[in-house]
Amino acid sequence: MNHTKQNFWTKYVFATDHKVIGKQYIITGLIMALVGGYLSYVFRMQLAYPGQSIPLYGDMGPQQYNAFITLHGMIMFFWFAMPILLAGFGNLFIPLMIGTDDMAFPTVNMISFWIFFVSTIVLMVSFFLPGGAAAGGWTMYPPLSITAHQPTFWGSFFTGQTFLLLAVALEFVSMLMGGINFLTTTINKRAPGMTAFRLPIYVWFANLAGIIFMFSVGPLIAGAFMMLLDINMGTGFYDPYRGGDPILFQHLFWFFGHPEVYVLLLPSLGVTAEIISTFSRKPIFAYKTIIYMALIASVLSVIVWAHHQFISGIDPRMATFFSVGTILISIPFAAIILSYLATLWGGSIRLKMPMIWTIAGIGSFLIGGLTGLFLGSDTFDIYAHDTYFVIAHFHYVLIPVVIFGTFAAIYYWYPKYFGRMLNEKIGKIHFWLTFLSFHAFAFPLFFSGLQGEHRRIADYSSFDSLMTLPIQHIRIISTIATIILISSQLLLIINVFWSYRKGKVAGRNPWEANTLEWQTDSPPQHGNFEVYPEVYRGAYEYSLPDRTEDFYPQNEK
Ligand code: HEM
Ligand SMILES: [Cu+2]
């Protein structure tokens, strides 16, 4: 290990230590989640009380409404979910779980974070540009996205859409560099004995997610570049008036956009595997099958994209192909979830906070998955497309996966990185408020969707059939739930700071887990391990019959 002298800047700001970089990603991501949450508060208030002034914001017009939903979606995906689930947790866990001192390329790792950070600044600046932030939806469909901004005195460069594309480009560069670092690290730096099938599932899934991202992002980068040219250089790739085809962009976008959901789902399911096994005191059920299923799902993930285009004038025979593909991809994921449930079965379950978040996450995710099956069927989707049914569906996928998964991980690994346990009492209140308000926010939206409520409309007053009382009540319930959901997160913030000073001191292995990160100090010293571990067994050997202890660390002889 090298022990060059550290000052404040090299220790906390331009750090190359993966543990610090992981925390930097997570803190930035959580702050951005608050920004994304604030935006959803503002536009939900507009929907519940159209035309009235919104507390903590002011008056909202349709252009701002569109900008806010656009940036809400963008931020939640690219500045909250990916930085935390992949970059943040990947940095924190991968080197420790495979038993090494750092990433393969620590300096590249630091540069990745700072590129990501610059992308955040570019994005935030875009709110203050003359025409406001991008307003063409997070899907950025042309022609709207290329015409939504009138060029200003500065030309079309200083507009929200151009800045959004630049910010996304920087963010993707950062994530690509990070993904390459993960793969190289996992392939080259594993502790002796850490064979492929002894790796913790999180390590497998984070790497698979990185690979899916690398495979799927190319077409979108090309597509976004053409969009930049259309906006700023007068080309006409997408503009029908200039001989272009907007549908082209839809293909390039969703070839990336659908797999992106699995880029988030896999790391979250990885976190779930670690927690389920540890807190059931049982080996994870069908470890190898889980990995093979994830490999199959990863391959399938890039052939289902056009289920987003059933109403874009697709040939019905192609629609059938994409319908079947979509329904097929649910099989490997169902198998993974079933393995997790089988792990719970007959376990001696310890209902601590990480486990509570995990179980609630799986349960809620099932609603998302099931309604995804409906939408995957082209016949149903033609009816439900772009209604609030879809909004409800994908929030039932994303909130359990991204938010519950993140919270489970924070409660589980906080002691490792801060040396103290989070408070379980505050944790329980935080959990119940979040859990109940999430369902109260999202569940009613299935019904307003089925009533025909179309998304991306700032004010429904001009549609009589959508201003009936039951639907307006749904909007208000969902908005109040949003406010509770967002403000409950104060409890998490309080818990994190309170426990940092007053929490119960955590030993090395407070949850009695097997994986390597628990076999070193909490927090781990610079270089992670005083003696580099050697690995003798898989990650999930709990409750072996001929041992007195019910766990068996991977590095114990
Ligand atoms: C505080 C929790 C959240 C609330 C209250 C919320 C609310 C909403 C609502 C009402 C819309 C629809 C706006 C419209 O189409 O008119 C929306 C759109 C969206 N949300 Fe969320 N959301 C939350 C969290 C999340 C999370 C965690 C993610 C992803 C990780 C996410 C991703 C999206 C996306 C991608 C859109 C589509 C944006 C677009 O239409 O361009 N949301 N959200
Ligand atoms: Cu999709």
Side-chain angles (χ1 to χ4, degrees):
M1 269 161 272
N2 60 26
H3 278 290
T4 41
K5 266 237 170 302
Q6 303 255 334
N7 58 31
F8 173 81
W9 292 97
T10 55
K11 200 161 173 207
Y12 298 110
V13 184
F14 298 105
T16 52
D17 180 356
H18 70 98
K19 299 187 286 295
V20 179
I21 295 176
K23 286 180 197 164
Q24 288 173 326
Y25 272 114
I26 290 173
I27 292 167
T28 317
L30 288 176
I31 293 173
M32 289 307 279
L34 290 178
V35 177
Y38 170 74
L39 296 178
S40 66
Y41 154 75
V42 176
F43 62 66
R44 279 248 49 114
M45 284 298 280
Q46 158 68 18
L47 293 177
Y49 309 103
Q52 296 178 31
S53 178
I54 298 162
L56 301 177
Y57 180 69
D59 295 319
M60 167 163 255
Q63 175 79 15
Q64 284 159 343
Y65 179 89
N66 286 341
F68 276 28
I69 57 150
T70 304
L71 272 278
H72 161 79
M74 279 286 176
I75 287 175
M76 289 303 193
F77 266 122
F78 301 133
W79 281 273
F80 164 47
M82 278 237 283
I84 289 191
L85 283 171
L86 203 53
F89 294 158
N91 263 300
L92 286 186
F93 309 154
I94 290 177
L96 278 157
M97 281 180 166
I98 66 173
T100 187
D101 58 340
D102 205 331
M103 286 288 172
F105 310 114
T107 315
V108 172
N109 205 18
M110 171 193 72
I111 297 172
S112 312
F113 172 75
W114 284 103
I115 293 179
F116 165 70
F117 193 80
V118 171
S119 79
T120 312
I121 308 275
V122 173
L123 188 78
M124 296 317 284
V125 166
S126 78
F127 278 101
F128 304 99
L129 294 174
W138 93 278
T139 47
M140 309 187 292
Y141 280 4
L144 179 63
S145 55
I146 50 181
T147 52
H149 287 284
Q150 298 300 323
T152 60
F153 173 74
W154 303 96
S156 45
F157 186 80
F158 286 91
T159 56
Q161 188 64 39
T162 304
F163 266 51
L164 175 63
L165 289 169
L166 289 179
V168 170
L170 288 168
E171 206 262 3
F172 283 10
V173 168
S174 150
M175 294 294 144
L176 281 171
M177 285 162 72
I180 290 164
N181 226 338
F182 285 4
L183 275 175
T184 322
T185 307
T186 309
I187 292 171
N188 290 326
K189 297 199 64 166
R190 279 167 293 143
M194 181 61 92
T195 56
F197 286 129
R198 284 179 180 170
L199 284 172
I201 289 180
Y202 178 81
V203 178
W204 262 106
F205 282 12
N207 278 289
L208 276 180
I211 295 173
I212 298 179
F213 182 71
M214 289 181 215
F215 259 96
S216 62
V217 82
L220 179 66
I221 292 177
F225 188 64
M226 290 191 276
M227 180 176 282
L228 270 180
L229 294 178
D230 270 10
I231 297 174
N232 294 294
M233 299 291 168
T235 56
F237 292 106
Y238 305 128
D239 184 352
Y241 293 107
R242 285 178 274 174
D245 182 0
I247 302 288
L248 171 62
F249 182 81
Q250 295 190 8
H251 285 290
L252 300 175
F253 181 86
W254 285 113
F255 184 81
F256 160 81
H258 190 85
E260 170 67 12
V261 177
Y262 305 124
V263 173
L264 308 181
L265 180 56
L266 283 171
S268 182
L269 285 177
V271 165
T272 307
E274 308 305 326
I275 292 176
I276 286 253
S277 178
T278 307
F279 289 85
S280 305
R281 317 308 292 166
K282 271 183 68 191
I284 193 94
F285 183 82
Y287 171 94
K288 278 195 183 170
T289 312
I290 290 178
I291 292 178
Y292 289 130
M293 288 299 144
L295 284 166
I296 294 173
S298 307
V299 174
L300 289 178
S301 75
V302 287
I303 60 153
V304 301
W305 77 91
H307 61 212
H308 296 272
Q309 293 169 267
F310 288 147
I311 65 152
S312 304
I314 194 171
D315 182 319
R317 288 162 296 184
M318 283 313 279
T320 305
F321 171 84
F322 282 101
S323 235
V324 172
T326 305
I327 290 162
L328 274 184
I329 204 173
S330 64
I331 295 173
F333 282 118
I336 293 175
I337 299 288
L338 279 177
S339 309
Y340 289 179
L341 295 180
T343 307
L344 286 174
W345 191 264
S348 39
I349 292 173
R350 299 183 179 170
L351 264 191
K352 296 288 186 188
M353 279 324 297
M355 185 67 156
I356 294 177
W357 281 111
T358 293
I359 292 175
I362 296 183
S364 312
F365 173 73
L366 288 179
I367 302 180
L370 201 66
T371 49
L373 281 179
F374 297 5
L375 290 168
S377 149
D378 48 348
T379 40
F380 181 82
D381 182 65
I382 288 169
Y383 176 69
H385 185 86
D386 265 350
T387 66
Y388 266 76
F389 187 91
V390 174
I391 305 279
H393 152 71
F394 71 69
H395 284 88
Y396 260 105
V397 172
L398 290 168
I399 291 182
V401 165
V402 175
I403 295 189
F404 288 23
T406 295
F407 289 171
I410 290 181
Y411 279 91
Y412 185 51
W413 278 287
Y414 180 92
K416 179 46 60 186
Y417 295 93
F418 294 98
R420 287 175 191 266
M421 312 294 285
L422 281 172
N423 182 296
E424 292 264 326
K425 273 211 191 81
I426 308 180
K428 286 224 171 74
I429 308 174
H430 171 225
F431 167 77
W432 280 111
L433 284 174
T434 305
F435 179 77
L436 294 175
S437 58
F438 152 61
H439 285 280
F441 145 67
F443 203 70
L445 299 183
F446 283 120
F447 297 97
S448 63
L450 291 175
Q451 303 282 325
E453 177 155 308
H454 199 276
R455 70 198 280 205
R456 294 179 177 169
I457 290 179
D459 185 345
Y460 293 91
S461 321
S462 29
F463 304 92
D464 285 340
S465 62
L466 291 178
M467 276 312 271
T468 58
L469 260 196
I471 303 187
Q472 190 57 23
H473 283 156
I474 288 181
R475 285 188 202 115
I476 293 174
I477 291 172
S478 177
T479 301
I480 293 172
T482 301
I483 296 172
I484 301 175
L485 179 56
I486 296 170
S487 36
S488 321
Q489 303 320 311
L490 200 62
L491 287 171
L492 178 66
I493 300 174
I494 291 173
N495 203 348
V496 163
F497 283 100
W498 185 87
S499 303
Y500 187 71
R501 299 226 166 273
K502 302 261 172 73
K504 207 167 88 208
V505 175
R508 292 187 155 204
N509 194 357
W511 310 116
E512 306 184 307
N514 289 342
T515 39
L516 293 180
E517 80 273 25
W518 300 106
Q519 319 310 328
T520 184
D521 288 343
S522 312
Q525 64 269 62
H526 191 75
N528 294 348
F529 298 93
E530 63 266 42
V531 184
Y532 281 102
E534 200 163 320
V535 171
Y536 303 103
R537 64 190 58 78
Y540 305 104
E541 305 204 354
Y542 291 100
S543 305
L544 295 189
D546 45 357
R547 258 179 74 87
T548 39
E549 266 139 357
D550 69 349
F551 62 113
Y552 204 177
Q554 287 190 277
N555 61 338
E556 206 175 292
K557 260 231 162 76

